[in-house]
Amino acid sequence: MKENIWCLENVNLYHILCPHKLKGYSKGHFQNYKSGDFIYFPGDTSKGIFMISKGKVKIVSYNKNGDEVVKAILGKGEIFGEKAILGSNERADYAMACTEPTLLCPMDLPSMYELMRNNKKFGLSIYKLIGLRIKKMERRFESLLFHDVRTRLCEFIKDLAEEKGVKRGDMICVTHFYTQKDFADLIGTKRETVTRLFNELKQEEIIDYSRKEIQIYCLEKL
Amino acid sequence: MKENIWCLENVNLYHILCPHKLKGYSKGHFQNYKSGDFIYFPGDTSKGIFMISKGKVKIVSYNKNGDEVVKAILGKGEIFGEKAILGSNERADYAMACTEPTLLCPMDLPSMYELMRNNKKFGLSIYKLIGLRIKKMERRFESLLFHDVRTRLCEFIKDLAEEKGVKRGDMICVTHFYTQKDFADLIGTKRETVTRLFNELKQEEIIDYSRKEIQIYCLEKL
DNA sequence: GAGCAAATGTGATGTGGCTTACATTTTAAG
DNA sequence: CTTAAAATGTAAGCCACATCACATTTGCTC
């Protein structure tokens, strides 16, 4: 009974959690949000988790000056609010829809637990999902601890490329929806520094970029 | 069926995991380590988790210069290697006993999963444990992102005080086993900076300290 | 297509904390 | 008690980034 679930690169919970196949567990319908709508606030009771069926969701917090700090941007098939499973009964961040429309598939906790107990495979998928989140987190942490800003930005772009890069000729194009402020938040620096680095990388002909796209000429040099 | 497990501050798995009460699940015996013994290495197959029954365990890694980097120091009743539960089939760090003797209660994965499925309370305890680890991690991350070194050190000392501080007169004493290098690793800075800050805090009559003890005169100013 | 807010670009200036390079003290080992 | 190794102390110099202060560009709204 060797269970090497870790070797799979992605858990696709979409087809498991999708409400069509889960009548009786999920509420059987999607929630629809407009761009800018908050899905939950800090302090809200954690009643369950969400899977993104369509659109993008930002997980954010606000610093003491009231500026928005982006902690993650998630897309279709991705899950958020999963700390509820781990016994966190209050949400700690804001979750905000940032596309229109944003469709979410909510799933309440008791159903989750029941499913996890009854469906071994599902349970392991959830563990794996959480494990991956932790790994990602640890990776960010170590990066912050050991690497300078430029290295961090390069790693981030490489990750983006791997995740959603498209080959076009001998370059890789990544379409994204981050502002430079978002990049800065995500790698732990300031917007101005990101601007400077983007231009530095452009100068060195490693990448080129516009608002919503990055073209990578030379992945190795990143 | 409201399950507010999160409100409990600590999960005490000790009395649940303790092998005396778990014949059939655990191997029914402790593992004994000497100071400096490695419990596992990076790349080792994750066969299960460990609970510390007696002594201290360091989770460490090594940077490219071969210097030891301390990632955590754990004591009695604490658990490590728990990422195994989340599907990580290889250990990513070194675990090293740093007291003599160090007694560990090992528990293999299949038994863990079985227990988690059959014993609801146990399952939730494990979730909560993992949840707390994540919270701790996120806290460290945010601290690193937003606070300067002095603030981070103060937070760390306050945590120590809360966790194991003892009132003596109108000061709080914390006996610990960290070197200044350990402090530095754990808060993400260099040893020299820690030394400077310790002396700064001493000068300002907020704390006093010797090798293995910190006396806190004024918790509020930390 | 005028007007405005958000996003991006770029210089000048400041500084926290890393680096380097030793001195001193404490602990462990023989 | 001696000696070596580990831990701690201190100080000068430097540099990656933050901060501040605007300029410019882009994209949306009316």
Side-chain angles (χ1 to χ4, degrees), chain A residues 13 16-17 22 25 49 82 84-86 107-130, chain B residues 85-86 113 116-118 123-124 127:
Chain A
L13 288 171
I16 307 184
L17 272 184
L22 271 182
Y25 283 119
I49 66 168
E82 79 280 356
I85 301 172
L86 300 171
M107 167 152 260
D108 64 283
L109 266 190
S111 309
M112 281 292 298
Y113 284 134
E114 202 184 324
L115 246 186
M116 285 170 75
R117 264 197 305 277
N118 297 338
N119 183 336
K120 211 161 164 177
K121 199 170 152 201
F122 178 78
L124 287 176
S125 298
I126 292 291
Y127 292 151
K128 194 184 160 192
L129 176 95
I130 293 170
Chain B
I85 300 171
L86 299 170
Y113 284 133
M116 285 170 76
R117 266 197 303 279
N118 298 338
L124 288 175
Y127 293 152

Side-chain angles (χ1 to χ4, degrees), chain A residues 55-68:
Chain A
K56 302 280 171 195
V57 172
K58 273 197 293 193
I59 310 297
V60 303
S61 59
Y62 293 87
N63 65 19
K64 49 198 164 304
N65 312 325
D67 305 324
E68 189 178 288

Side-chain angles (χ1 to χ4, degrees), chain B residues 27-45:
Chain B
K27 296 193 187 105
H29 62 277
F30 290 112
Q31 286 176 358
N32 196 333
Y33 292 91
K34 291 202 289 286
S35 183
D37 283 357
F38 284 98
I39 296 143
Y40 56 68
F41 296 87
D44 280 6
T45 309

Side-chain angles (χ1 to χ4, degrees), chain A residues 44-87:
Chain A
D44 280 7
T45 310
S46 305
K47 298 205 186 72
I49 66 168
F50 297 90
M51 198 199 45
I52 304 172
S53 179
K54 185 183 168 75
K56 302 280 171 195
V57 172
K58 273 197 293 193
I59 310 297
V60 303
S61 59
Y62 293 87
N63 65 19
K64 49 198 164 304
N65 312 325
D67 305 324
E68 189 178 288
V69 180
V70 174
K71 302 177 98 179
I73 296 190
L74 305 169
K76 180 179 169 174
E78 291 192 282
I79 293 221
F80 65 97
E82 79 280 356
K83 277 210 287 288
I85 301 172
L86 300 171

Side-chain angles (χ1 to χ4, degrees), chain B:
Chain B
M1 199 193 72
K2 204 159 145 227
E3 282 170 359
N4 248 5
I5 58 167
W6 196 260
C7 58
L8 307 161
E9 198 45 64
N10 293 300
V11 208
N12 192 348
L13 289 172
Y14 190 75
H15 63 284
I16 307 183
L17 272 184
C18 172
H20 309 301
K21 310 189 179 173
L22 273 183
K23 307 222 166 56
Y25 283 117
S26 125
K27 296 193 187 105
H29 62 277
F30 290 112
Q31 286 176 358
N32 196 333
Y33 292 91
K34 291 202 289 286
S35 183
D37 283 357
F38 284 98
I39 296 143
Y40 56 68
F41 296 87
D44 280 6
T45 309
S46 304
K47 298 206 188 72
I49 65 169
F50 297 89
M51 197 197 46
I52 303 172
S53 179
K54 185 185 169 74
K56 304 278 171 194
V57 171
K58 275 196 292 193
I59 310 297
V60 303
S61 59
Y62 293 87
N63 64 20
K64 47 197 165 306
N65 312 326
D67 305 323
E68 188 179 288
V69 179
V70 173
K71 302 178 99 178
I73 296 190
L74 306 168
K76 181 180 170 173
E78 290 191 283
I79 292 220
F80 63 96
E82 77 281 356
K83 276 209 288 288
I85 300 171
L86 299 170
S88 169
N89 51 26
E90 275 194 9
R91 321 236 81 130
D93 313 297
Y94 297 82
M96 183 200 271
C98 58
T99 48
E100 192 137 356
T102 300
L103 287 180
L104 301 181
C105 169
M107 167 152 257
D108 64 286
L109 265 190
S111 308
M112 282 291 298
Y113 284 133
E114 201 184 324
L115 245 185
M116 285 170 76
R117 266 197 303 279
N118 298 338
N119 182 337
K120 212 161 161 176
K121 201 171 151 200
F122 178 77
L124 288 175
S125 297
I126 293 290
Y127 293 152
K128 196 186 158 191
L129 177 96
I130 292 169
L132 286 171
R133 284 280 154 88
I134 295 181
K135 280 217 167 165
K136 205 167 184 174
M137 177 91 188
E138 285 181 340
R139 209 155 136 252
R140 273 178 85 186
F141 187 76
E142 298 215 338
S143 186
L144 194 55
L145 214 48
F146 297 125
H147 303 319
D148 64 10
V149 177
R150 172 161 169 157
T151 309
R152 262 141 57 203
L153 181 61
C154 287
E155 280 173 2
F156 191 86
I157 295 174
K158 270 190 281 192
D159 284 355
L160 268 187
E162 200 164 313
E163 197 186 319
K164 42 167 56 182
V166 176
K167 259 203 144 158
R168 188 144 79 220
D170 45 339
M171 66 186 184
I172 301 167
C173 293
V174 184
T175 309
H176 62 86
F177 34 82
Y178 299 109
T179 65
Q180 294 188 352
K181 171 71 167 59
D182 292 338
F183 278 103
D185 289 344
L186 292 166
I187 66 172
T189 184
K190 299 292 153 188
R191 200 223 84 222
E192 293 88 331
T193 306
V194 170
T195 306
R196 242 191 303 277
L197 286 172
F198 262 114
N199 283 312
E200 202 174 300
L201 292 171
K202 188 177 180 175
Q203 221 95 79
E204 297 172 23
E205 297 185 320
I206 297 170
I207 67 163
D208 200 350
Y209 69 100
S210 61
R211 284 267 160 116
K212 295 292 160 218
E213 192 179 78
I214 300 175
Q215 290 113 261
I216 302 166
Y217 295 130
C218 187
L219 196 66
E220 308 79 54
K221 288 192 188 161
L222 270 178

